[in-house]
Amino acid sequence: MDLQIQADVLVQKIKHFIIARTGRREKESTPEEFYLAFVEALREEMMINWTASTDTMIAKKPRTINYLSLEYLPGRFLSNNAANIGATELVQTVLKKMERSIPDLMGCEHDPGLGNGGLGRLASCFLDSLATLQYPARGYGLRYQYGIFEQELWKGVQVERPDGWLLNTNPWEVRRDVFAVSVNYRGTAIHGTNVHGENVYQLEDSEEIRALPFDIPIIGYSDKEDFSVLPLRLWSTKESPRNFKLQSFNAGMLDEASENTSLTDVLYPNDQSEVGRRMRLKQEFLLVSASLKDIIRRHLGTYGDLSLFKEKVRIQINDTHPALMIAEMMRTLTKNFNFSWRDAWGTVQECCSYTNHTILAEALEVWDESRMQDLLPRQYLAIQQINSDLCNAARTKFPNNENKVQRISILEHGHVRMANLAIYGSHKVNGVAELHSNILKEKVFRDFYDLFPDKFTNVTNGVTQRRWLLLCNPELTEFISKRIGKEWAHDFPTIAKLGEFAADPETQKEFLQIKAKNKQRLVDFIIQENPVRDRKGKEVSRAGSLNTAALFDVHVKRIHEYKRQLLNALHLIMIYQELLTSPDKGGRIPRMSILGGKSAPGYMRAKQIIELICAISRTVNEDKRSNGHLKIAYIENYNVTKAEIIIPAADLSEQISTAGWEASGTGNMKFSMNGAMTIGTDDGANIEMREAVTDAWWPFKFGASAQENSETHDYRGWDVYNQDEGIRRAVDALKDGTFSETEEEASAFAQIHQSLLENDRFFVLRDLRSYYEAQKKVEELYQKPEAWAEMAIHNIAGMGSFSTDVSIRNYAEKIWGIEPCPPDLEILKKVREEYSEHDRCRIIKQ
C-alpha cells in the first residue's frame, strides 16, 4: 500500500480512538491523549500478528522456551516497535500530517522500570532476538510499580525517588485477570504420601496472595508481513485487594497489612534489613511459583497431561533469582501430578538450564536457612531431599573427600546456596563469555565441574543491533547500509564487509561528520536535561558551553567497585593536576568525560564514589585554569533512553573492570558497534571483541590479566602509592581538601583514600599507571582524525558475532533444542480477515 494511503488510514484511526476514548476531537486532545490513541492505532497490526503467533504455537505444538528473569530493561517501546515492523517513515508521515512533533509524542512514554543494568538489558535483547528469529518463546518477570528507583544527585549524593513509569496508562500492556494465580507462603507443612508412597506435603494456614499477569508484546524485526510477536508476562501483586490485610491495618500494623501488596513495588528491596531480605525472597518465589503454574496450565490445555512435559517445555533460569524453580517444580510434580521423585527429577533436569552472570559472592545468593524454612516450608523440605541426593552423588564419585562434598552441598552452615541448587537441577549451565565460563569451571564451581563436566558450556553475550544501532544511530545506519546493504539488521555478521571501506578517505570523513552530529545532540541533551543540584535537591545550574571537538570519553554503567569508576576518577585527578602545574598543560587535548550510573541503595562505597566524581566535576568545571581542556559531566538517572543518546556520541568507551571480575559486559559491544574505540582490560567479552577486531585495531588494552590478578597474594596499595609520585599526588587529593566542601564529603573521600591503601582488592592503584599510559595513547591517536576513524570503522566491522541473534541461535542449538516457529500464513490470513470484518462494524442509529 502506498505510504500516503497508509498514513491517511492511520490518521483516521487515531482520530477515531481519540473520540472513542476521550469524547474529544483530535485538535483538542492533549499530548498524552494523542499518544495513547496513536499507540492503539499503530499496534493493531501488531496485535493481529500476536494472535497469529499464539495460534500457530497452539496448532504446531513446538518445544517452547520459557525465559525467567527478575530484570528486564526494554527501553521505550514505540520507536523500537515501529522500527521493527518498518513503520518509522509511516510514523513520521502521520505526525507531519497531524501537525504533531516526534519529541512531544516520545516524551509521553516512560522507560519501563523493570531492571537495573546489564542483566535486564540483556534479557530484553534476548526477547527481541527470540521474536526476530521466530523461536517459540515466552518471557516471565515482575511488574515493578516503581522500578528500582529514579536517581537524583543532591550535590553528588544519590537520592532514590520512586520511578513513576506507571503513573499514566501503559498502552503496550494487556491485563489478563483470567490467568491470575495464587501463591502461598508460610503455613504448616502436613505430611502425606503420593501414589508411589513418597513424601509429599499439604500446606495449612498459609499466607495466600494473588498474582495478576500483564502481557507486553515483544515485536520481532521483519520486512515481511509474517513477523512474530512473543509475550512478556509480568506478575503484579498491586492490583489484587485480597493481598491487603485489612484486619492488620485496622489493628495499626501498617507494615504487615501492606507487605504483600508491596511485593512488586520495587526491584531489589534494600536487603540491609530483615524486611528487605524477606521481601526479596518472596519476590523470587512469586516469579517462580506464578510462572510455573502458568507454564503447566498452558501445557495441560494443549496436551491434557504432563507426559510430554519434559519434551516440550524448556525453562531458562537467568541468574540465581529464579533458582527456586528447581524445588518448586519437584514439589509440584510429586504432589499435584503423582510423579515419582526419580521421574520428577529427570523432568526438572531435562527442562531447566541456568545462566550464571557473575562471580561476585554477594550476587550468587545465599539465603538464611531459617528464613527459607519459615517462608517456604514445603520448598525447603524439597531442597533438603534434593541436597541429600546431591551429597550422595558427590560421595559416590569422591569417596573420603567430605570437604568437597561440603563445598558442593546446597545446605551448609545454616544457609541455602542458590547457585548450587540451580547447577544441580539444570541439564546445562553456561557462562556468558569464554573467560567467565572458564573461571566458573576452574575456580568458582570447580567442584561441580569435577562432578558434572558435561553440564558446563559457554554462550557469549550480545546486544540487539536493531535498538543499539538501527534505532539509536540513524545516520550511522544509513552510512553503513549504503555501503554494504541492509542485511546486517537481521544478519549482523555481514557487518564485516564494512571493513573494506575503512581506509577510504571519503568514508572516514563522513564517519567523523556523523560522530560530530551525535556529539552535538548529546551536548544539547546535557545542557537542557541534566541538572546540577544543591544539597537540598534544588537545581542550581546546568552545564555551560561544551566543546564537541573534544574527545568524548564515556563511562556509563552500574556503579560497583569492580567496574572501577574510581580508576577513571583518579585518572581525571591526574589530568587536572597536570593542567594546573604544567606550563603547556601537559600537552593535553580537550577531553569531555561523561559518567553515569546508579548505585544499589545499600552500597555505601559505590555511593561515595558517585559523590567523589561529582565533587571532582564541580571543582574542575569551575576552575578557569583547566577550562577548555577538561570538562566532566555525571548523567543523572542513567537509563536506556539516555544511553541511546550517549552511546552514539562516544569517542572512547571505558571498559576498565578488574580482569577476571566482569562476566561479559554488553555496554562494550554497544559502544563498539556505534564507532567508539575501547580502552579496556582483558576482561569478560573484551577479550573476544579484541580477538574479533584484531590487535591491530584494538590499541588501548591495559592492566593485569585475570590470571595475574588471581595469582597475586601479597599486593598492597601502599607500595604503589610510595613508589609513584603522580599516583601519590592524585590519591592524596582525596583527603587534602581539594575536592571536599563539607565534613561529610571529607569523611567519605578519606574512607576511599584509606581503602585504596589498605584494602585495594580490585587493584585500582596497581593498574592506574598502565591506564594512564593507555590514555596517553588515546590522546595521541585522537589527534590523527583519519587514523582514528579507520580504527573505529574496523571496530564496527568486527562486531558481527556480538549480536544477541548469534547468542540466541547458540542457546537454541546447544541448550534448548528448539526450532523457529513463524506465524502460519493461513492462520495469519484468517486472523487478519476476522479482524478486518470486525474493524468495519459500527453501531449506527437509523
Side-chain angles (χ1 to χ4, degrees):
M1 188 187 296
D2 178 80
L3 176 64
Q4 294 300 323
I5 297 174
Q6 284 184 305
D8 289 339
V9 171
L10 191 56
V11 167
Q12 291 306 313
K13 284 186 176 291
I14 292 168
K15 291 180 177 179
H16 163 77
F17 285 128
I18 289 175
I19 292 173
R21 302 291 183 263
T22 71
R24 302 205 291 178
R25 297 173 66 186
E26 182 268 322
K27 292 296 183 184
E28 301 164 347
S29 64
T30 66
E32 176 71 22
E33 291 168 341
F34 180 83
Y35 162 74
L36 293 174
F38 190 99
V39 170
E40 189 159 3
L42 186 66
R43 77 173 192 170
E44 285 190 334
E45 192 72 16
M46 303 172 190
M47 300 302 285
I48 292 169
N49 282 57
W50 190 0
T51 304
S53 297
T54 301
D55 288 355
T56 299
M57 284 195 275
I58 292 171
K60 295 194 173 182
K61 301 179 174 62
R63 176 183 290 178
T64 302
I65 178 63
N66 300 275
Y67 195 86
L68 269 69
S69 180
L70 209 58
E71 286 191 46
Y72 294 93
L73 267 180
R76 295 179 182 180
F77 290 109
L78 176 55
S79 53
N80 189 72
N81 289 347
N84 275 6
I85 63 170
T88 300
E89 189 177 359
L90 174 62
V91 168
Q92 294 168 347
T93 303
V94 168
L95 292 177
K96 186 175 181 180
K97 282 177 175 286
M98 303 187 79
E99 299 180 347
R100 299 274 182 164
S101 74
I102 291 178
D104 284 349
L105 182 70
M106 299 304 177
C108 291
E109 185 172 14
H110 299 277
D111 278 46
L114 300 172
N116 179 32
L119 182 70
R121 187 56 235 157
L122 177 72
S124 294
C125 285
F126 277 0
L127 293 186
D128 176 275
S129 288
L130 282 164
T132 296
L133 299 175
Q134 301 191 308
Y135 285 112
R138 287 175 175 267
Y140 287 98
L142 298 183
R143 182 180 182 264
Y144 304 106
Q145 191 77 16
Y146 304 115
I148 182 165
F149 59 82
E150 187 173 291
Q151 179 195 58
E152 289 185 359
L153 298 173
W154 294 12
K155 201 168 185 178
V157 176
Q158 175 178 289
V159 174
E160 296 94 25
R161 297 286 200 186
D163 180 354
W165 75 284
L166 285 174
L167 275 178
N168 299 319
T169 301
N170 177 11
W172 295 107
E173 67 182 9
V174 179
R175 177 170 165 157
R176 307 282 197 185
D177 291 70
V178 68
F179 298 131
V181 298
S182 295
V183 177
N184 296 87
Y185 301 97
R186 293 196 164 100
T188 302
I190 306 300
H191 178 264
T193 57
N194 61 15
V195 296
H196 304 282
E198 296 171 332
N199 295 334
V200 295
Y201 296 89
Q202 298 281 358
L203 193 64
E204 291 187 356
D205 302 322
S206 67
E207 182 181 295
E208 181 180 312
I209 70 165
R210 180 173 180 260
L212 179 65
F214 291 76
D215 287 355
I216 294 176
I218 305 300
I219 316 298
Y221 174 87
S222 179
D223 55 2
K224 301 175 182 177
E225 67 170 9
D226 66 336
F227 61 88
S228 289
V229 181
L230 303 178
L232 169 58
R233 177 154 289 182
L234 303 175
W235 301 101
S236 173
T237 61
K238 198 70 179 174
E239 305 288 334
S240 301
R242 76 162 67 175
N243 297 338
F244 183 73
K245 299 179 181 178
L246 186 59
Q247 287 183 318
S248 297
F249 179 85
N250 289 336
M253 297 181 287
L254 304 187
D255 291 346
E256 181 182 315
S258 61
E259 179 172 308
N260 288 333
T261 60
S262 302
L263 274 185
T264 53
D265 273 4
V266 177
L267 169 64
Y268 300 143
N270 190 342
D271 61 0
Q272 299 299 304
S273 68
E274 170 58 29
V275 172
R277 290 188 287 271
R278 184 171 70 243
M279 292 280 280
R280 280 203 184 193
L281 182 56
K282 292 176 83 170
Q283 276 188 345
E284 293 182 5
F285 184 67
L286 173 70
L287 170 62
V288 163
S289 178
S291 301
L292 179 60
K293 284 181 169 69
D294 196 62
I295 293 167
I296 291 175
R297 175 194 57 77
R298 283 191 295 106
H299 186 88
L300 290 174
T302 302
Y303 300 98
D305 60 34
L306 299 189
S307 58
L308 292 176
F309 194 77
K310 69 178 181 181
E311 169 61 28
K312 294 296 186 177
V313 172
R314 291 295 176 265
I315 297 172
Q316 187 66 31
I317 297 171
N318 192 34
D319 226 353
T320 53
H321 308 126
L324 281 165
M325 175 61 74
I326 307 298
E328 177 64 354
M329 195 186 303
M330 284 299 294
R331 185 204 67 78
T332 301
L333 294 180
T334 55
K335 159 70 172 55
N336 296 349
F337 297 96
N338 281 313
F339 276 57
S340 69
W341 182 267
R342 180 178 178 179
D343 287 345
W345 187 246
T347 298
V348 167
Q349 286 194 311
E350 188 74 17
C351 291
C352 294
S353 49
Y354 160 55
T355 300
N356 173 276
H357 288 275
T358 181
I359 66 168
L360 289 170
E362 62 264 32
L364 290 175
E365 289 202 305
V366 176
W367 290 110
D368 182 83
E369 199 169 345
S370 61
R371 184 181 301 110
M372 181 81 73
Q373 190 172 10
D374 173 52
L375 284 177
L376 304 169
R378 294 181 297 174
Q379 291 72 27
Y380 172 74
L381 290 166
I383 290 171
Q384 283 187 318
Q385 181 61 53
I386 293 168
N387 189 58
S388 176
D389 294 347
L390 171 60
C391 291
N392 288 337
R395 290 187 180 103
T396 299
K397 187 160 186 177
F398 308 113
N400 305 316
N401 192 344
E402 201 59 26
N403 287 335
K404 197 176 190 76
V405 174
Q406 288 179 1
R407 292 193 299 270
I408 287 172
S409 176
I410 299 165
L411 302 174
E412 186 65 17
H413 300 305
H415 294 99
V416 184
R417 297 189 282 206
M418 303 309 290
N420 294 26
L421 176 63
I423 293 170
Y424 185 42
S426 298
H427 72 278
K428 286 293 182 182
V429 176
N430 72 283
V432 291
E434 284 288 351
L435 174 64
H436 172 235
S437 295
N438 289 335
I439 289 172
L440 295 183
K441 292 187 291 187
E442 296 167 7
K443 296 178 181 177
V444 180
F445 300 133
R446 175 60 186 269
D447 296 309
F448 274 100
Y449 181 65
D450 291 342
L451 183 59
F452 305 116
D454 293 338
K455 279 183 186 276
F456 288 82
T457 188
N458 174 67
V459 180
T460 298
N461 281 345
V463 300
T464 169
Q465 69 273 22
R466 289 168 288 277
R467 180 177 284 273
W468 294 109
L469 182 49
L470 178 73
L471 177 64
C472 75
N473 204 337
E475 291 203 24
L476 187 59
T477 291
E478 184 180 351
F479 165 89
I480 295 169
S481 295
K482 74 182 181 182
R483 287 168 173 82
I484 67 171
K486 299 180 179 180
E487 291 81 5
W488 60 269
H490 59 82
D491 184 12
F492 203 49
T494 61
I495 198 74
K497 292 186 287 187
L498 186 66
E500 299 169 10
F501 299 86
D504 173 50
E506 286 301 314
T507 296
Q508 296 167 2
K509 180 180 177 182
E510 186 178 349
F511 171 81
L512 293 170
Q513 289 171 342
I514 292 169
K515 183 64 71 172
K517 289 180 182 178
N518 287 331
K519 290 164 77 170
Q520 185 61 56
R521 180 180 173 221
L522 174 57
V523 164
D524 293 342
F525 167 80
I526 291 173
I527 293 172
Q528 297 167 16
E529 304 291 339
N530 198 59
V532 178
R533 305 177 192 273
D534 63 16
R535 280 278 176 189
K536 295 183 178 180
K538 181 181 178 181
E539 183 180 327
V540 292
S541 68
R542 297 283 176 110
S545 60
L546 301 173
N547 180 11
T548 57
L551 172 75
F552 274 37
D553 175 5
V554 181
H555 196 178
V556 286
K557 56 183 71 231
R558 180 169 56 90
I559 308 301
H560 198 290
E561 289 168 276
Y562 86 84
K563 293 179 182 290
R564 297 204 296 191
Q565 286 89 355
L566 185 54
L567 178 64
N568 192 343
L570 289 170
H571 176 250
L572 291 172
I573 293 173
M574 294 173 78
I575 294 176
Y576 177 59
Q577 290 174 334
E578 286 182 18
L579 292 174
L580 299 189
T581 59
S582 176
D584 65 346
K585 303 294 185 184
R588 292 287 176 178
I589 66 169
R591 179 186 295 255
M592 178 70 198
S593 182
I594 298 156
L595 302 99
K598 297 177 181 179
S599 161
Y603 191 176
M604 298 313 299
R605 179 51 46 80
K607 287 186 167 183
Q608 290 174 340
I609 291 170
I610 294 174
E611 191 171 6
L612 172 63
I613 294 168
C614 290
I616 297 170
S617 171
R618 178 183 66 219
T619 301
V620 169
N621 293 347
E622 292 176 357
D623 194 331
K624 294 181 179 179
R625 295 172 294 175
S626 59
N627 196 20
H629 285 81
L630 181 62
K631 287 281 188 180
I632 304 169
Y634 198 100
I635 304 299
E636 185 179 78
N637 198 44
Y638 178 65
N639 59 21
V640 173
T641 295
K642 293 179 181 180
E644 291 170 0
I645 300 171
I646 295 166
I647 289 173
D651 293 310
L652 187 67
S653 164
E654 298 273 354
Q655 308 299 330
I656 59 178
S657 55
T658 308
W661 284 87
E662 183 70 81
S664 167
T666 51
N668 46 5
M669 303 166 190
K670 297 166 194 168
F671 279 103
S672 286
M673 66 175 59
N674 278 275
M677 296 292 292
T678 299
I679 183 168
T681 51
D682 250 5
D683 195 23
N686 285 0
I687 299 172
E688 291 158 74
M689 290 170 61
R690 175 176 58 79
E691 291 170 348
V693 171
T694 75
D695 287 330
W697 311 113
W698 191 274
F700 308 136
K701 185 184 81 168
F702 77 94
S705 68
Q707 182 175 346
E708 289 170 333
N709 286 335
S710 68
E711 294 173 352
T712 298
H713 305 294
D714 57 354
Y715 164 73
R716 296 171 67 249
W718 276 108
D719 294 335
V720 178
Y721 174 85
N722 289 326
Q723 294 167 12
D724 192 313
E725 181 181 356
I727 290 176
R728 183 166 62 251
R729 288 178 62 224
V731 173
D732 282 347
L734 301 183
K735 68 171 187 176
D736 67 7
T738 300
F739 302 110
S740 57
E741 291 185 353
T742 65
E743 291 183 6
E744 291 82 5
E745 286 183 341
S747 174
F749 303 163
Q751 290 176 48
I752 296 174
H753 181 278
Q754 183 180 9
S755 74
L756 285 169
L757 299 180
E758 297 181 3
N759 186 30
D760 184 17
R761 68 187 184 116
F762 295 108
F763 304 117
V764 172
L765 295 188
R766 187 170 79 166
D767 278 354
L768 180 52
R769 180 53 63 181
S770 175
Y771 178 59
Y772 176 91
E773 295 301 330
Q775 287 279 12
K776 294 288 281 187
K777 293 180 183 178
V778 169
E779 297 197 357
E780 290 170 9
L781 183 63
Y782 191 72
Q783 295 178 77
K784 305 171 184 175
E786 293 79 13
W788 182 279
E790 183 177 8
M791 286 205 172
I793 292 167
H794 275 295
N795 273 255
I796 299 172
M799 290 299 105
S801 60
F802 299 100
S803 165
T804 43
D805 294 352
V806 176
S807 304
I808 286 300
R809 285 193 178 101
N810 285 330
Y811 275 101
E813 294 168 9
K814 295 167 64 173
I815 297 177
W816 302 330
I818 60 175
E819 298 289 339
C821 183
D824 182 271
L825 292 179
E826 279 302 312
I827 292 176
L828 180 59
K829 180 181 177 182
K830 290 178 181 178
V831 173
R832 181 166 283 116
E833 287 174 352
E834 184 174 335
Y835 184 84
S836 297
E837 287 297 322
H838 164 75
D839 197 36
R840 286 197 291 268
C841 291
R842 294 285 187 275
I843 300 174
I844 303 174
K845 186 175 181 180
Q846 298 296 333

